[in-house]
Amino acid sequence: MTNMIEIKNLKKSFKVITKEPGLRGYINAIIRPKHKIVNAVNGISMTIKKGELVAFIGPNGAGKSTTLKMLSGILYPDSGTIKIDGLNPQKDRIKLAYRMGTIFGQKPQLWYHLPAIDTFYLFSKIYDMDPEIYKKRLEYLIEKFDIKEFMDQPVRKLSLGQRMRCEFVLALLHKPQILFLDEPTIGLDIVVKKNIREIIKKINKEEKVTILLTSHDVGDIEDVANRVVIINRGIIVYNGTFSNLRKEYLNKKKIKIISETPVVFNNHSATKIINQSKYSLDLEVDLTKTSLKEIIDIIMKNNKIEDISIEDPEIEEIIEDIYNGKEMKITRCG
Amino acid sequence: MAVKDQFRLLWAYLGMSLKTLLEYRLNALLFIGSMIINDLAWMLFWLLFFTRFPNVNGWDFSYMIILYAVICFSYGLASGIFRNANKLQNIIANGTLDYFLPLPKNILYHLLIEKSSQYSLGDILFGLVLAVIFIPIYNFPLFLILSLLSATIIISFQIIIGSISFYIGNSRRLSASLNGGVMSLSSYPLSIYHGIARFIILFLIPAGFLAGVPVELLKSFNLTWFLLLTGFTIAILLIAIGVFYKGLKRYESGNQMYVRS
Amino acid sequence: MWLSKYLAIAKINFKNEFTYFWDFLFDSVFIAIIIFIYSQLWAILFSTGHYSDISGYTLAMLVWYLVMTESIIDFISYVVDNIGDDIKQGNIANYLNKPYNYIIYIYTIHIVMGFVSLILTFLLGSIVAAVTVGGFSFNFLNIPFILITIFLAMSMNLLIMTFLGLFAFWMEDVSAVNFIYQKFVFIIGGTLIPLEFFPEWLAKISSFLPFSYLAYYPAKLFINFNLHQFLDVVAVQILWCIVFIFLILFIYKKAIKKVSINGG
């Protein structure tokens, strides 16, 4: 079986008590609570093959944490099926637990006051690891993640980056086949983030671990994942590779010009001036309304160009647009 | 095989808690010491009380000593080994429960042993010392057995009360109040309660079986009551496990109600 | 100006707490159980001893005494822990150079919560007392005086707990300190049993310590009002408040020194 994860038509909704503000709201909430049904996950289907590294992104409340919780056996779906490595998280919870590892970025599993090595030992007992196997595995991971220096110090004394490396060792200790990473780089600075991303890629390749990661940080996805699933309002709005995402949803480009003579440019229905000074111009071009060639021709006709650069929009913007459900059209450049 | 694994797990967790305690040695002494001070203070309280009021309804200071020996020791055992029973409502309300669900161990057992109370050693020591001094040697095995039963009742009750959080979302304070209330009810002689109150305190809130009955058994053994106590302990344990897993099912079905303002 | 600012903060916190209206209520459940226990205890005592009163307290007075002490004392044992958290998590950084502001901030929030807790606990406790032992003779005209001494008692308690909480600058975990303090208040402070029931020597020691002014004296005045005693008690309460304000400022300054040396 090459499919590690199979999700079919997953649905989950919650009953939420809504409360109006103010004193009357409080009283009403006690006497006559008002309910609202929230469809957190509204029919999701996807498959993830063994060894894939999939990023699962979406805004807050989109349903990604709910989906992840259903995958890791924390919540039961209302309807639909989940199969992980052929097992059902609901029925085969314990069996699956041996094959699965989790890292919740905001909830560390290492005991704060003790050295990481102590928590490693604890987890070897949780996963019923044979002491010999544990020893060998630990040696291997210590070397791989380069934690020998600080694994004997209390975790509270470690830097965030060091802590995260230890968390990864912990998650990989029992040789899971699948790893769920929920916001693994949250709160980390850029250097550490890069470090962690390398680690994730390395694990995926060398350990052959299937990885599903959720994140708010687009950089995590850009640098790391081979596939992206975007979820919004409980449904999947994009499921494909990252490069396709760029290609299909690329309908804007930025042109930056530096001119020898004062800039002459009339704003267009298809253009938006982002920045303009005497000798420079930053322009956003809507490729659904015009072509890049047209705009460049206009600019070059009226200006003596010293320097020109053409940029893709930030990936955040692309995803922003997808979140907002903007009409997307496949466009061509040039 | 599975039982051995559970013990190994418990041992590992106790080791972690002990190490954490020793990380801050001064603090550890402070915790243990303050519990001993607390227990001593209560002894002082009762000493003063009985000095002022020598004989109340047939019970006296020696009764209180035995009562405290049982309660301190059993509560110390309960909070030393299965600490999280007392915090179950927090674990559920905070979502910390999620930590245990993806792990390959029995959920209730795992979450109960995860933490150990830093105060527990104080209680255990105090209870043991009282027992060693005031309970005759031939009764010591009985004392241990009764304390084990008592500890089981305490944990079971806390599990039931903590599970309320599965149903009302945030029962932190309610559960804490009830747990505290039961321990308080147990720390006073059973004979001050009468009528319906006594029935409730004996059977519904197990305060009577927790402490009163063991003390009576230590003063004069009675097979019927001993069997009743054992039966009650098993029953409340089974009920506790049932209530927890029923609530867990509810939790995992995500019918928990969240309040949003 | 600053008063309105702190009242606003108190108001928000109050609203925040009122969201957990049930929490307040449930906290009181524990107290109600305690009051019930003691009503039974005293009842047995009175009946076996055939007393009509002990040291001037009738059965009803004893139980209502407890209702009052519990209502005053119960309010927040987590002030100490809150301050400890503030220090551990660095929230206090904003207030490092403004000790007055921090104290007033803590005080305002908790005194308001304290009064709400007082009312709820007293209501629930009264019900238990009324059901078990009935009422006692009380002159409602004394209420304003009682409120004053209660207010001062709570302020004292808050100031002491703030003082203790500041030890978090030196200690890893202040919860043990809080724990011991609560026990002292309970046993020496005459919370459970009026000081008259204690042997002479203990009552004498108690009168030198602040603990008895936290619950015993206000409750005693509630049960048995006496203007002369009221004035005495209030004077001592105010004195203790001033003492602890100075102690807090002293400790605070030491703490700032420590923080600036160690870099927090």
Side-chain angles (χ1 to χ4, degrees):
Chain A
M1 174 182 344
T2 48
N3 280 344
M4 186 50 104
I5 300 180
E6 277 175 31
I7 301 176
K8 285 205 186 89
N9 211 11
L10 206 60
K11 287 199 185 147
K12 178 117 206 105
S13 49
F14 294 107
K15 210 173 13 168
V16 175
I17 303 178
T18 54
K19 182 162 45 142
E20 299 124 48
L23 193 61
R24 175 170 299 161
Y26 296 122
I27 300 181
N28 279 342
I30 296 170
I31 304 175
R32 227 180 338 117
K34 274 209 200 101
H35 298 280
K36 195 168 81 165
I37 305 276
V38 171
N39 295 326
V41 175
N42 211 1
I44 288 187
S45 305
M46 68 177 182
T47 50
I48 297 179
K49 293 197 168 48
K50 270 204 180 122
E52 276 203 87
L53 211 181
V54 178
F56 202 43
I57 59 176
N60 282 328
K64 58 179 198 301
S65 336
T66 310
T67 306
L68 205 67
K69 282 188 181 174
M70 288 193 273
L71 288 172
S72 49
I74 295 172
L75 285 178
Y76 295 152
D78 291 341
S79 65
T81 59
I82 302 179
K83 269 223 181 95
I84 304 181
D85 206 7
L87 298 171
N88 179 323
Q90 205 168 329
K91 298 206 182 81
D92 306 307
R93 188 188 72 87
I94 293 188
K95 238 196 202 166
L96 190 53
Y98 282 106
R99 306 188 197 177
M100 178 171 93
T102 59
I103 294 185
F104 286 91
Q106 283 149 319
K107 294 192 184 153
Q109 297 187 97
L110 291 165
W111 283 47
Y112 189 66
H113 296 285
L114 296 177
I117 187 106
D118 285 338
T119 311
F120 295 154
Y121 177 73
L122 176 69
F123 270 61
S124 78
K125 292 297 166 214
I126 293 178
Y127 286 99
D128 300 316
M129 288 179 81
D130 178 271
E132 274 307 308
I133 297 180
Y134 163 63
K135 205 168 126 203
K136 286 211 179 76
R137 178 74 174 156
L138 187 60
E139 274 169 24
Y140 168 76
L141 287 172
I142 290 174
E143 215 229 288
K144 233 355 192 272
F145 285 84
D146 195 23
I147 61 170
K148 196 167 183 84
E149 231 181 74
F150 47 82
M151 66 181 194
D152 290 312
Q153 291 176 34
V155 167
R156 68 191 159 91
K157 290 202 177 136
L158 304 181
S159 72
L160 266 173
Q162 293 171 326
R163 223 180 278 182
M164 274 317 279
R165 296 225 289 271
C166 291
E167 289 276 348
F168 271 94
V169 169
L170 187 65
L172 291 169
L173 212 53
H174 59 289
K175 264 201 164 178
Q177 276 115 314
I178 172 157
L179 209 57
F180 293 116
L181 305 175
D182 188 33
E183 306 277 357
T185 64
I186 198 163
L188 303 174
D189 68 56
I190 192 76
V191 176
V192 180
K193 267 196 218 249
K194 279 199 151 117
N195 208 330
I196 297 296
R197 289 175 195 158
E198 290 309 309
I199 289 178
I200 296 176
K201 283 195 285 199
K202 188 160 72 169
I203 299 172
N204 175 240
K205 226 192 291 181
E206 294 175 19
E207 299 275 316
K208 310 259 197 310
V209 180
T210 311
I211 299 182
L212 177 59
L213 87 95
T214 68
S215 187
H216 280 128
D217 187 335
V218 183
D220 280 351
I221 297 124
E222 201 158 359
D223 287 348
V224 177
N226 28 58
R227 189 143 66 92
V228 165
V229 176
I230 304 181
I231 180 172
N232 193 20
R233 299 206 194 106
I235 54 173
I236 293 181
V237 289
Y238 181 80
N239 184 349
T241 63
F242 198 75
S243 41
N244 273 346
L245 179 65
R246 282 180 150 268
K247 245 188 281 176
E248 281 180 31
Y249 293 89
L250 208 72
N251 57 4
K252 283 202 192 77
K253 283 225 184 242
K254 278 208 188 90
I255 303 178
K256 288 191 175 167
I257 315 165
I258 298 182
S259 169
E260 284 176 21
T261 55
V263 170
V264 171
F265 185 78
N266 289 325
N267 212 356
H268 222 257
S269 62
T271 61
K272 185 164 84 178
I273 296 180
I274 298 174
N275 226 338
Q276 183 174 13
S277 69
K278 196 163 186 213
Y279 291 102
S280 74
L281 177 69
D282 289 353
L283 213 62
E284 189 183 87
V285 180
D286 186 344
L287 296 173
T288 61
K289 297 201 178 121
T290 178
S291 75
L292 209 57
K293 182 176 188 304
E294 257 182 65
I295 303 295
I296 294 179
D297 282 346
I298 295 172
I299 293 174
M300 301 210 71
K301 197 157 58 174
N302 297 324
N303 296 281
K304 206 154 176 233
I305 302 295
E306 184 179 298
D307 188 24
I308 182 169
S309 69
I310 303 173
E311 289 174 8
D312 289 333
E314 295 292 335
I315 199 66
E316 278 92 346
E317 287 177 48
I318 300 179
I319 294 183
E320 189 67 40
D321 289 343
I322 299 183
Y323 284 175
N324 295 329
K326 269 223 192 117
E327 265 314 302
M328 291 296 143
K329 283 192 236 162
I330 298 176
T331 63
R332 267 168 237 165
C333 310
Chain B
M1 192 70 49
V3 178
K4 233 206 219 162
D5 284 337
Q6 309 292 42
F7 261 108
R8 267 199 219 115
L9 189 66
L10 174 60
W11 203 243
Y13 270 110
L14 285 176
M16 297 289 279
S17 293
L18 192 63
K19 280 196 184 151
T20 310
L21 197 66
L22 294 176
E23 247 314 280
Y24 307 104
R25 223 144 293 193
L26 186 63
N27 243 39
L29 287 174
L30 197 62
F31 282 123
I32 298 175
S34 52
M35 203 33 138
I36 295 180
I37 292 178
N38 171 65
D39 295 338
L40 277 171
W42 276 107
M43 289 282 91
L44 180 69
F45 173 84
W46 286 113
L47 189 61
L48 292 173
F49 182 88
F50 283 108
T51 314
R52 185 76 170 72
F53 309 107
N55 201 329
V56 190
N57 210 27
W59 96 84
D60 57 1
F61 188 56
S62 69
Y63 182 98
M64 294 312 290
I65 292 186
I66 302 191
L67 180 62
Y68 269 72
V70 173
I71 280 206
C72 291
F73 187 62
S74 62
Y75 192 79
L77 280 178
S79 63
I81 301 178
F82 297 100
R83 159 75 157 122
N84 275 337
N86 200 20
K87 294 284 175 212
L88 184 59
Q89 59 276 6
N90 294 356
I91 292 177
I92 297 170
N94 292 342
T96 312
L97 183 57
D98 293 351
Y99 164 86
F100 298 97
L101 298 172
L103 296 175
K105 286 287 170 206
N106 177 294
I107 295 168
L108 181 58
Y109 179 73
H110 195 184
L111 77 84
L112 288 179
I113 64 175
E114 192 228 1
K115 287 261 147 70
S116 171
S117 164
Q118 318 105 306
Y119 295 105
S120 59
L121 277 172
D123 268 332
I124 292 176
L125 272 170
F126 189 79
L128 262 180
V129 168
L130 276 186
V132 162
I133 299 178
F134 293 100
I135 295 181
I137 285 201
Y138 60 82
N139 247 353
F140 209 75
L142 181 62
F143 167 75
L144 291 174
I145 296 175
L146 291 173
S147 300
L148 269 164
L149 292 174
S150 172
T152 311
I153 297 177
I154 293 175
I155 298 162
S156 306
F157 183 74
Q158 289 174 342
I159 294 173
I160 296 173
I161 295 301
S163 298
I164 294 178
S165 230
F166 282 129
Y167 297 92
I168 72 171
N170 175 11
S171 76
R172 289 188 195 98
R173 305 257 186 113
L174 174 61
S175 300
S177 268
L178 290 173
N179 282 334
V182 161
M183 291 316 298
S184 293
L185 286 165
S186 314
S187 330
Y188 295 83
L190 206 55
S191 53
I192 67 175
Y193 314 116
H194 40 261
I196 295 196
R198 179 178 263 207
F199 177 81
I200 295 178
I201 291 172
L202 197 57
F203 291 103
L204 288 176
I205 324 165
F209 274 107
L210 217 158
V213 172
V215 174
E216 294 295 334
L217 287 173
L218 278 168
K219 291 184 81 185
S220 62
F221 188 77
N222 176 317
L223 186 61
T224 320
W225 274 100
F226 180 74
L227 290 173
L228 254 166
L229 176 61
T230 314
F232 182 84
T233 309
I234 297 175
I236 197 175
L237 181 60
L238 291 173
I239 293 174
I241 297 176
V243 167
F244 174 78
Y245 279 103
K246 191 144 187 275
L248 182 63
K249 239 204 179 119
R250 192 165 195 269
Y251 178 89
E252 297 203 271
S253 306
N255 283 326
Q256 269 229 298
M257 317 234 255
Y258 306 87
V259 182
R260 196 201 293 158
S261 56
Chain C
M1 17 111 244
W2 60 255
L3 184 65
S4 57
K5 173 163 80 150
Y6 289 111
L7 281 180
I9 296 176
K11 195 168 165 215
I12 293 175
N13 271 279
F14 171 71
K15 271 197 174 166
N16 203 26
E17 289 296 318
F18 195 71
T19 311
Y20 304 103
F21 161 79
W22 298 106
D23 279 356
F24 267 113
L25 200 65
F26 294 144
D27 274 350
S28 314
V29 165
F30 175 68
I31 303 301
I33 294 178
I34 302 286
I35 295 173
F36 167 74
I37 294 174
Y38 274 82
S39 69
Q40 306 299 292
L41 182 67
W42 295 134
I44 295 279
L45 191 66
F46 272 74
S47 69
T48 45
H50 303 295
Y51 297 107
S52 61
D53 75 80
I54 303 174
S55 303
Y57 291 85
T58 63
L59 174 61
M61 286 164 81
L62 263 180
V63 178
W64 282 95
Y65 169 87
L66 188 64
V67 172
M68 183 49 87
T69 59
E70 291 288 358
S71 303
I72 305 176
I73 284 293
D74 169 54
F75 73 124
I76 6 96
S77 60
Y78 34 94
V79 175
V80 178
D81 290 337
N82 276 1
I83 297 178
D85 286 341
D86 273 350
I87 293 175
K88 285 303 159 200
Q89 288 162 20
N91 300 342
I92 203 172
N94 300 334
Y95 295 95
L96 273 180
N97 287 318
K98 311 176 219 152
Y100 303 98
N101 289 16
Y102 185 65
I103 297 171
I104 296 175
Y105 160 70
I106 292 280
Y107 180 79
T108 329
I109 293 176
H110 288 106
I111 202 81
V112 170
M113 286 183 2
F115 262 94
V116 174
S117 172
L118 169 80
I119 294 171
L120 277 172
T121 308
F122 187 80
L123 277 171
L124 207 62
S126 314
I127 295 175
V128 177
V131 164
T132 50
V133 295
F136 71 104
S137 63
F138 177 70
N139 187 349
F140 285 87
L141 289 175
N142 291 330
I143 289 184
F145 298 103
I146 308 287
L147 285 175
I148 293 176
T149 181
I150 290 177
F151 171 74
L152 285 169
M154 285 177 135
S155 302
M156 263 182 79
N157 203 359
L158 253 175
L159 288 170
I160 297 177
M161 289 203 270
T162 307
F163 171 69
L164 293 176
L166 289 175
F167 280 92
F169 276 111
W170 290 271
M171 296 176 68
E172 266 302 320
D173 201 331
V174 262
S175 55
V177 173
N178 181 35
F179 187 74
I180 298 179
Y181 170 68
Q182 300 293 329
K183 297 308 155 188
F184 268 93
V185 172
F186 254 79
I187 307 212
I188 312 184
T191 304
L192 292 172
I193 292 192
L195 290 182
E196 284 91 337
F197 287 27
F198 286 163
E200 275 277 343
W201 57 271
L202 194 56
K204 246 215 176 111
I205 297 178
S206 238
S207 59
F208 285 112
L209 299 170
F211 305 112
S212 55
Y213 290 88
L214 297 173
Y216 165 70
Y217 279 112
K220 183 157 190 225
L221 286 167
F222 169 68
I223 298 293
N224 200 351
F225 188 76
N226 174 316
L227 189 63
H228 189 82
Q229 187 170 53
F230 169 75
L231 292 169
D232 279 343
V233 169
V234 164
V236 178
Q237 284 177 322
I238 295 178
L239 203 67
W240 277 114
C241 281
I242 297 176
V243 167
F244 273 98
I245 292 178
F246 272 110
L247 279 173
I248 290 173
L249 290 174
F250 175 72
I251 283 276
Y252 210 94
K253 297 223 158 82
K254 282 237 149 146
I256 295 179
K257 234 192 254 170
K258 176 188 193 257
V259 168
S260 39
I261 292 176
N262 294 345

